Amino acid sequence: MPRSDQHQFAQNNIFILPTGMGWLFAALLIVMLLTGINYQNSLIFLLTFFLGVVFVAAMHQTHSNLSGLELTLIHAGEGYVGDSIPFLFRGSAGKHDNLALTVGVEGASQGSRLVMQHVRPESSSDMRLVVTATERGYLLLDRVRIETRFPFGLLRAWSWLRPQTTAIVYPKPLLPPVPVDHGVSGDESGIVTQAPGQDHVEIRPWRQGDLLQRVQWKRFARTGEMAIAEWHGEQGNPDWLDFASFPGVDTELRLSYLTALVLERDKSGEAFGLRLPGQDVEPDGGPAHTQRCLRVLALFGTNGRNSDREAA
């Protein structure tokens, strides 16, 4: 079955087999039939054939109960490692009811299961599944199973949806044990210090329109010259959150530290930039910038793995 966010259930992709109770029921029919043959009892024959008709009718009804249903993945959520990531599906019925449906992610430990879902004729119903994220990056559901045992539980009809859309899982935020100083300050000699990996800092004369908060006042007190510390490509004297600021720490832990710092800067409203090996996010502020930084952290080094999973 190819990957697709939309799947129409029909005769060519619905599977049906007896349940455990169904196999027991069939075995009972065989025993009753042999008993009727042995004793030449018409009442046993009548009951056996009547129950056989019920079994065949249940097979038709169970298959029809899933046929005509269309299941669509309409939204894949986002979250952090260890969180429950929501996936929103929409079931649309045809000309008849689709009753007593069970929808779940393959493997009971991977996510929630929804039971007794009903979709009325010519209408739709939303179904929300949550899946626990165990690692950052793309979260691609392997298979979503939808089945029904309506009306008698003697047979089970099921099919699969293999979604194409992936959710995004961010690193779990962890504050670094030692505060990282990304700030810039002036000293008596007018030298500006900067954190490792920060853009080049230059001292230039103060110009009309520059903020007074950025004046190097210690330098002014010593020389009488008003000077400004200017960053190359700067936007509002930002912080740089740098992957290289945590030497000796493994990659995943560094990304968790940076995630916590991104959320901290977003909460305080400060402008900041993000620097990772081979990729920089220019300094900015606001929810859109925070979202972009979180996505960059989530997908750092995962492009190849994602391509392999999609190909599978």
Side-chain angles (χ1 to χ4, degrees):
M1 297 179 65
R3 286 202 173 273
S4 174
D5 290 335
Q6 187 176 38
H7 188 54
Q8 179 84 35
F9 300 117
Q11 185 173 357
N12 63 337
N13 54 37
I14 296 177
F15 312 97
I16 184 168
L17 281 174
T19 62
M21 187 63 69
W23 288 115
L24 183 61
F25 187 85
L28 178 61
L29 289 181
I30 294 174
V31 172
M32 291 175 61
L33 180 61
L34 294 177
T35 302
I37 293 174
N38 184 58
Y39 290 100
Q40 294 296 308
N41 190 307
S42 299
L43 290 179
I44 296 178
F45 279 124
L46 177 63
L47 182 59
T48 302
F49 295 146
F50 174 75
L51 293 178
V53 170
V54 170
F55 188 84
V56 173
M59 183 185 303
H60 174 75
Q61 179 61 39
T62 302
H63 186 278
S64 298
N65 190 51
L66 195 56
S67 180
L69 178 69
E70 181 179 272
L71 189 65
T72 306
L73 174 61
I74 60 176
H75 177 70
E78 300 180 353
Y80 302 91
V81 172
D83 289 352
S84 295
I85 310 299
F87 289 82
L88 186 61
F89 295 88
R90 177 165 296 162
S92 302
K95 296 181 179 180
H96 59 81
D97 295 90
N98 300 112
L99 302 174
L101 304 175
T102 298
V103 184
V105 179
E106 186 179 25
S109 62
Q110 291 185 346
S112 63
R113 293 176 72 248
L114 304 177
V115 297
M116 298 303 291
Q117 301 295 304
H118 308 300
V119 185
R120 298 301 178 183
E122 305 292 346
S123 64
S124 61
S125 176
D126 289 346
M127 309 172 192
R128 185 175 180 269
L129 288 171
V130 294
V131 179
T132 301
T134 58
E135 60 180 11
R136 68 176 177 86
Y138 293 104
L139 178 56
L140 179 65
L141 299 183
D142 183 21
R143 294 192 296 182
V144 176
R145 180 188 179 99
I146 180 166
E147 72 171 51
T148 181
R149 302 186 181 195
F150 183 83
F152 302 126
L154 298 176
L155 296 113
R156 177 179 68 250
W158 76 95
S159 191
W160 305 96
L161 170 68
R162 301 186 67 227
Q164 187 175 19
T165 299
T166 58
I168 302 295
V169 182
Y170 309 133
K172 185 175 182 179
L174 293 173
L175 284 172
V178 180
V180 181
D181 183 14
H182 299 279
V184 178
S185 60
D187 57 19
E188 292 184 356
S189 64
I191 298 175
V192 179
T193 61
Q194 62 185 102
Q198 212 172 33
D199 279 351
H200 178 63
V201 183
E202 296 180 350
I203 300 297
R204 64 168 177 80
W206 179 85
R207 296 193 293 262
Q208 186 70 29
D210 288 334
L211 297 176
L212 294 179
Q213 297 94 310
R214 299 178 56 193
V215 174
Q216 300 292 299
W217 292 110
K218 292 183 180 181
R219 181 187 179 101
F220 174 76
R222 184 175 61 86
T223 65
E225 177 187 358
M226 295 182 66
I228 297 293
E230 186 176 60
W231 286 258
H232 178 70
E234 170 193 19
Q235 295 185 20
N237 192 14
D239 281 342
W240 277 97
L241 305 181
D242 198 335
F243 183 88
S245 297
F246 309 100
V249 179
D250 66 78
T251 298
E252 296 302 321
L253 195 53
R254 292 192 195 200
L255 296 175
S256 292
Y257 288 163
L258 291 172
T259 300
L261 294 175
V262 166
L263 297 175
E264 192 178 66
R265 296 300 190 277
D266 177 66
K267 186 175 180 180
S268 65
E270 300 177 14
F272 65 93
L274 178 65
R275 177 159 290 161
L276 298 175
Q279 185 175 12
D280 291 348
V281 179
E282 291 300 319
D284 204 345
H289 178 65
T290 300
Q291 187 80 0
R292 182 187 176 195
C293 290
L294 290 175
R295 283 177 171 261
V296 168
L297 291 169
L299 305 181
F300 175 69
T302 65
N303 292 335
R305 292 204 300 268
N306 180 63
S307 300
D308 294 341
R309 293 174 68 182
E310 287 185 345

